[in-house]
């Protein structure tokens, strides 16, 4: 813990004290899940599907917390050169464009572990050491060209702001004068890069950076987005997969609890347990989601091989093989009925010229081989868990 006396705002506390048994239990779960995911094989084609989805949901989530109106699908459209026409403002679209650029730097950061980068947003992260120039660069990237009152990209605030509201635990007033802001940012950098914090579990250190940067609130606008990107940068530089982007969406989906975690921690003064607990629950949920998703992709890959083998051995017909292939190619996993098999695309390509009895016989064979399941409403789906039992 580090206490700093400011010029005008009184004592500011950089705190790493928390309820060890309570937080350690969550850390063990997070670390175990992270290790499990790290050991799972990922095909390049899976990454090419997953990575853009995480980028767009992360950008939409972190922007929505600050009031932006674009959802993840519209973020994708904007990135693809389309202009979403649902009444979004030019400001909303530019916020998204700036954030896409910032998050893409995280991927470049992961690809260049040396920490040396040659582009406008220069990430000075070497062995997870955070630099003040990195923070200013992030803020410039995020707020460049945006018409925020008083805000100058990359420049610290000199004046009063109020954060929060009564509905989420009360209003907090960060340090007001630039002398305090500048001093606290220097102290923040020294503290977060100290030996004790460098040795701390990366999930804890990244959350502490997020929380304390938000308390200082050094810029007029964009502080929340910078805080979440700082956290993501520290996680990414430590080799954590998926979570750096997923956390922003978790915060958005639990935005009331997010604000309350800040308020409860501020009230606790020298105990950061509330924010760490909320944060780690987000880490765990994100890791569990990805573990399940990757496991399903692996099972689908195994099932493809199994279906190919059955077809080669004449255990299933070519039409049955093609139906299963259609289902494996459809990532939605939407159930279908016997009627849809003969009346709806893409199934009609296979079943429009055969009788209902033939279609029933195909389904019966695939059910008996545990390749499909059927529910009480006679809707059929792939059986990714039972086919190999």
């Amino acid at each position: 813990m580090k206490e700093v006396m400011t010029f005008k705002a009184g004592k500011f506390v950089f705190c790493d004290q928390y309820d060890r048994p309570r937080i350690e239990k969550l850390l063990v779960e997070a670390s175990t899940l992270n290790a499990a995911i790290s050991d799972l094989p990922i095909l390049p084609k899976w990454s090419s599907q997953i990575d853009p989805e995480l980028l767009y949901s992360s950008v939409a989530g972190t922007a929505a917390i600050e009031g932006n109106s674009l959802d993840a699908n519209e973020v994708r459209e904007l990135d693809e050169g389309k202009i979403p026409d649902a009444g979004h403002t030019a400001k909303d679209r530019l916020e998204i464009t700036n954030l896409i650029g910032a998050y893409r730097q995280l991927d470049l950061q992961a690809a260049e572990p040396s920490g040396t980068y040659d582009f406008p947003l220069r990430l000075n992260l070497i062995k997870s050491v955070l630099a003040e120039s990195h923070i200013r660069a992030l803020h410039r990237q995020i707020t460049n060209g945006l018409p925020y009152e008083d805000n100058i990209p990359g420049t610290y605030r000199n004046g009063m702001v109020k954060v929060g509201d009564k509905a989420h635990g009360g209003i907090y007033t960060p340090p007001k004068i630039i002398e305090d802001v500048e001093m606290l940012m220097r102290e923040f950098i020294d503290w977060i890069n100290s030996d004790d914090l460098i040795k701390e579990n990366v999930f804890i250190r990244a959350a502490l950076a997020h929380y304390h940067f938000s308390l200082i609130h050094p810029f007029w606008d964009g502080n929340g987005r910078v805080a979440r990107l700082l956290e993501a940068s520290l996680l990414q530089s430590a080799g954590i997969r998926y979570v750096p982007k997923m956390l922003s969406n978790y915060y958005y989906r639990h935005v009331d609890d997010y604000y309350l975690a800040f308020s409860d921690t501020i009230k606790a003064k020298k105990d950061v347990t509330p924010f760490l607990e909320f944060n780690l629950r987000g880490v765990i949920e994100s890791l569990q989601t990805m573990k399940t998703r990757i496991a399903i992709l692996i099972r689908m890959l195994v099932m493809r091989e199994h279906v190919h083998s059955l077809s080669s051995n004449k255990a299933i017909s070519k039409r049955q093989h093609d139906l299963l292939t259609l289902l494996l190619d459809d990532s939605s996993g939407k159930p279908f009925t016997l009627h849809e098999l003969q009346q709806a695309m893409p199934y009609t390509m296979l079943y429009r010229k055969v009788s209902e009895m033939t279609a029933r016989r195909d389904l019966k064979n695939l059910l008996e081989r545990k390749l499909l399941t059927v529910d009480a409403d006679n809707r059929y789906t792939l059986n990714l868990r039972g086919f190999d039992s």
Side-chain angles (χ1 to χ4, degrees):
M1 189 165 61
K2 178 179 183 179
E3 296 183 352
V4 177
M5 183 57 67
T6 65
F7 296 107
K8 295 287 187 180
K11 186 184 295 182
F12 189 98
V13 179
F14 294 96
C15 179
D16 60 353
Q17 305 300 305
Y18 53 87
D19 184 328
R20 294 280 166 178
R22 191 165 150 190
I23 296 302
E24 285 293 339
K25 182 179 178 182
L26 295 171
L27 276 177
V28 168
E29 187 174 357
S31 298
T32 302
L33 281 167
N34 185 59
I37 286 177
S38 297
D39 288 339
L40 292 175
I42 300 293
L43 295 178
K45 67 177 181 179
W46 297 347
S47 293
S48 67
Q49 175 187 346
I50 292 171
D51 292 345
E53 288 179 15
L54 294 185
L55 170 67
Y56 298 135
S57 65
S58 180
V59 167
T62 196
I65 292 171
E66 313 302 333
N68 193 287
S69 59
L70 275 75
D71 63 25
N73 288 330
E74 291 167 328
V75 171
R76 178 190 290 272
E77 288 179 3
L78 189 62
D79 190 41
E80 292 173 348
K82 304 170 187 175
I83 300 179
D85 57 359
H88 305 297
T89 66
K91 171 178 166 289
D92 277 356
R93 291 195 294 270
L94 183 54
E95 283 180 348
I96 295 299
T97 300
N98 287 354
L99 280 166
I100 289 172
Y103 273 96
R104 284 225 161 98
Q105 304 309 326
L106 295 184
D107 297 326
L108 292 173
Q109 173 187 319
E112 298 287 346
S114 66
T116 301
Y117 310 94
D118 243 347
F119 39 73
L121 178 55
R122 189 174 180 81
L123 302 182
N124 296 311
L125 275 170
I126 302 173
K127 296 182 179 178
S128 300
V129 173
L130 189 61
E132 205 168 349
S133 58
H134 173 210
I135 295 171
R136 289 180 181 270
L138 278 176
H139 186 258
R140 280 193 294 272
Q141 168 68 31
I142 289 168
T143 65
N144 185 46
L146 289 164
Y148 298 141
E149 186 178 357
D150 297 323
N151 187 73
I152 300 174
T155 302
Y156 292 148
R157 163 180 58 83
N158 186 23
M160 185 174 71
V161 293
K162 293 183 180 293
V163 183
D165 56 46
K166 291 181 180 178
H168 296 100
I171 296 171
Y172 167 69
T173 304
K176 304 173 188 177
I177 65 172
I178 193 167
E179 290 83 1
D180 282 346
V181 171
E182 289 175 338
M183 178 178 66
L184 288 175
M185 285 303 296
R186 290 193 299 269
E187 296 288 350
F188 168 68
I189 292 298
D190 287 344
W191 179 70
I192 206 69
N193 292 329
S194 65
D195 288 344
D196 287 345
L197 268 294
I198 289 286
K199 293 174 184 175
E200 181 63 89
N201 182 287
V202 64
F203 293 121
I204 297 293
R205 181 168 177 253
L208 291 176
H210 180 168
Y211 173 74
H212 289 89
F213 174 86
S214 299
L215 285 190
I216 300 170
H217 215 78
F219 303 107
W220 283 106
D221 281 286
N223 293 283
R225 281 161 283 172
V226 172
R228 292 185 285 276
L229 271 160
L230 285 181
E231 178 181 68
S233 294
L234 290 170
L235 293 172
Q236 190 98 349
S237 66
I240 304 298
R241 298 163 70 182
Y242 310 117
V243 175
K245 291 190 180 74
M246 295 180 76
L247 275 179
S248 287
N249 195 260
Y250 174 82
Y251 296 144
Y252 170 60
R253 289 184 287 104
H254 301 273
V255 68
D256 289 338
D257 292 333
Y258 181 48
Y259 291 142
L260 285 170
F262 274 111
S263 295
D264 290 346
T265 309
I266 290 169
K267 291 173 184 175
K269 294 185 178 178
K270 296 181 180 180
D271 182 359
V272 290
T273 301
F275 189 79
L276 293 184
E277 184 171 28
F278 172 76
N279 171 274
L280 285 170
R281 292 195 186 283
V283 169
I284 290 166
E285 181 184 294
S286 300
L287 289 168
Q288 286 174 331
T289 298
M290 287 311 304
K291 182 182 177 186
T292 299
R293 182 168 184 181
I294 295 169
I296 288 172
L297 289 171
I298 292 171
R299 295 190 71 82
M300 290 177 73
L301 183 64
V302 173
M303 188 173 188
R304 283 182 190 276
E305 292 299 315
H306 182 54
V307 168
H308 177 72
S309 175
L310 290 174
S311 179
S312 298
N313 295 328
K314 309 298 183 183
I316 60 175
S317 69
K318 182 180 184 304
R319 187 178 53 250
Q320 292 166 12
H321 168 274
D322 291 346
L323 172 60
L324 292 170
T325 300
L326 277 176
L327 296 173
L328 285 164
D329 288 342
D330 181 7
S331 59
S332 68
K334 182 181 177 182
F336 64 93
T337 64
L338 174 64
H339 175 75
E340 288 171 332
L341 204 61
Q342 296 186 290
Q343 301 295 325
M345 288 292 287
Y347 311 116
T348 53
M349 294 187 297
L350 301 174
Y351 283 90
R352 64 188 173 191
K353 294 183 178 179
V354 302
S355 68
E356 181 178 311
M357 183 177 295
T358 299
R360 286 184 183 277
R361 187 165 57 244
D362 282 357
L363 294 174
K364 182 174 182 291
N365 184 36
L366 298 179
L367 283 171
E368 288 175 349
R369 294 187 178 280
K370 299 183 180 180
L371 297 166
L372 295 179
T373 61
V374 63
D375 63 18
D377 296 319
N378 290 316
R379 295 179 303 178
Y380 297 85
T381 53
L382 280 173
N383 184 13
L384 291 173
R385 293 193 175 276
F387 73 90
D388 57 351
S389 60

